[in-house]
Amino acid sequence: MKAVVDKDLCIGCELCTSICPEVFSMDDDGLAVAIDEELDENLIESAKEAEESCPTEAITVE
Ligand code: F3S
């Protein structure tokens, strides 16, 4: 599984980075970015929680 942030939807609320900082970080443009690699098994649950919590549904974990 991988996490992807759609920067066209992200409004930079930083919720994902506080829920799952291992996967999400803020880029120089003030929008979130996800690590570009397969998620470790132990990170999938919190990455999915970030996906569900994002107010603009900018995150996809699949
Ligand atoms: Fe952006 Fe959603 Fe994270 S708006 S900063 S991807 S919680």
Side-chain angles (χ1 to χ4, degrees), residues 5 9-17 26 32 50 53-56 58-59:
V5 175
L9 293 176
C10 176
I11 55 171
C13 77
E14 300 190 27
L15 203 56
C16 54
T17 59
M26 301 309 289
S53 302
C54 175
T56 62
I59 297 171

Side-chain angles (χ1 to χ4, degrees), residues 9-46:
L9 293 176
C10 176
I11 55 171
C13 77
E14 300 190 27
L15 203 56
C16 54
T17 59
S18 63
I19 292 173
C20 187
E22 298 89 348
V23 173
F24 302 98
S25 58
M26 301 309 289
D27 221 341
D28 290 343
D29 53 13
L31 302 173
V33 63
I35 53 171
D36 185 24
E37 53 192 64
E38 282 291 314
L39 299 179
D40 278 352
E41 198 71 33
N42 61 335
L43 292 177
I44 288 174
E45 193 175 328
S46 63

